[in-house]
């Protein structure tokens, strides 16, 4: 349960915490912010619910954050930009909605972004392309609308782009055809044209 994490939060020197694939339930406790030295937090494949606590964005040393396969809801806060050391963000398979915050583009160390299988709405923010180290972008199975931002073609390190099962429209940007490292490009089940 969440109380277990509250006790762990007393371990002030903890750098790596992996509680994935258990039966942990309840809210992610706000006491998580006491783990100021934490670099990796893996809570995937549990039964956490409720909104992401603001305090999680106070863990400014985090490099890896994996909260996939839970029942987290609410919206992803623009405070995500406070996690300036983040390289890996995985929120796949939750119930998070609202807009994808454009502040993700401020995470210049980010390489892996997975927001798939949620309830995000609105456009893909063009600011994502400002995170120049991105290698993987997974935004599939949401309710995203609008066009694929043309400047995603400037992400020269991009290897994976999964945008399938959304409501995207318009043409596929020409620039994406020049991303030579792109090995997985899946955009089926949208409303795209040529």
């Amino acid at each position: 349960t969440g109380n277990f994490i509250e006790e762990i939060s007393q371990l002030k020197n903890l750098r790596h915490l992996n509680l994935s694939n258990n039966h942990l339930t309840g809210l992610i406790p706000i006491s998580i912010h006491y783990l100021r030295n934490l670099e990796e937090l893996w809570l995937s494949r549990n039964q956490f619910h409720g909104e992401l606590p603001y305090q999680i964005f106070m863990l400014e040393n985090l490099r890896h954050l994996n909260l996939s396969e839970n029942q987290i809801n609410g919206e992803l806060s623009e405070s995500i930009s406070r996690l300036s050391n983040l390289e890996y963000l995985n929120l796949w398979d939750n119930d998070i909605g609202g807009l994808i915050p454009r502040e993700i583009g401020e995470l210049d160390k980010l390489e892996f972004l997975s927001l798939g299988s949620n309830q995000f709405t609105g456009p893909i923010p063009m600011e994502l392309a400002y995170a120049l180290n991105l290698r993987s972008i997974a935004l599939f199975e949401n309710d995203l609308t609008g066009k694929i931002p043309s400047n995603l073609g400037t992400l020269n390190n991009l290897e994976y782009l999964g945008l399938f099962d959304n409501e995207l429209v318009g043409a596929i940007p020409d620039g994406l055809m020049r991303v030579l490292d792109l090995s997985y490009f899946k955009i089926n089940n949208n409303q795209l044209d040529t």
Side-chain angles (χ1 to χ4, degrees):
T1 66
N3 289 335
F4 177 54
I5 296 184
E6 288 191 24
E7 292 177 19
I8 289 176
S9 296
Q10 299 174 39
L11 303 176
K12 304 286 194 297
N13 293 314
L14 202 61
R15 295 186 183 277
H16 306 276
L17 177 59
N18 189 336
L19 301 175
S20 295
N21 206 20
N22 282 289
H23 300 284
L24 301 176
T25 62
L27 304 174
I28 298 174
I30 61 175
S31 58
I32 196 83
H33 79 279
Y34 289 121
L35 300 175
R36 291 296 176 93
N37 290 309
L38 207 59
E39 296 177 6
E40 295 190 11
L41 176 60
W42 294 67
L43 301 178
S44 59
R45 294 182 184 175
N46 282 292
Q47 295 158 29
F48 289 110
H49 63 268
E51 298 186 13
L52 283 175
Y54 172 79
Q55 289 79 2
I56 210 163
F57 304 115
M58 298 169 71
L59 301 175
E60 296 180 3
N61 289 311
L62 267 187
R63 293 185 297 106
H64 290 189
L65 177 60
N66 188 347
L67 305 177
S68 62
E69 296 181 81
N70 281 287
Q71 293 138 32
I72 298 166
N73 57 33
E75 298 185 2
L76 181 57
S77 170
E78 61 192 25
S79 298
I80 189 71
S81 64
R82 294 187 61 173
L83 302 180
S84 59
N85 290 301
L86 207 60
E87 300 169 5
Y88 178 100
L89 176 61
N90 191 348
L91 302 179
W92 172 66
D93 196 14
N94 278 287
D95 297 311
I96 303 170
L99 300 177
I100 295 174
R102 64 178 184 267
E103 287 79 8
I104 290 177
E106 298 175 24
L107 301 175
D108 57 8
K109 296 180 181 176
L110 192 65
E111 296 182 9
F112 181 97
L113 173 66
S114 180
L115 304 179
S117 300
N118 278 287
Q119 298 174 23
F120 286 104
T121 58
I124 298 170
M126 62 172 290
E127 288 85 358
L128 278 189
Y130 300 164
L132 294 176
N133 286 309
L134 274 169
R135 294 182 178 276
S136 178
I137 300 175
L139 304 179
F140 54 82
E141 295 175 354
N142 279 290
D143 296 306
L144 299 173
T145 56
K147 297 182 177 182
I148 299 173
S150 59
N151 63 348
L152 291 184
T154 64
L155 293 172
N156 294 324
N157 297 317
L158 195 63
E159 299 171 3
Y160 177 104
L161 182 60
L163 305 178
F164 56 92
D165 291 338
N166 279 290
E167 302 293 330
L168 300 170
V169 299
I172 300 168
D174 290 339
L176 285 173
M177 304 304 117
R178 293 187 288 275
V179 181
L180 299 180
D181 286 342
L182 192 62
S183 58
Y184 185 101
F185 182 35
K186 193 170 180 182
I187 55 173
N188 54 297
N189 295 334
N190 280 286
Q191 300 174 33
L192 300 166
D193 54 48
T194 55

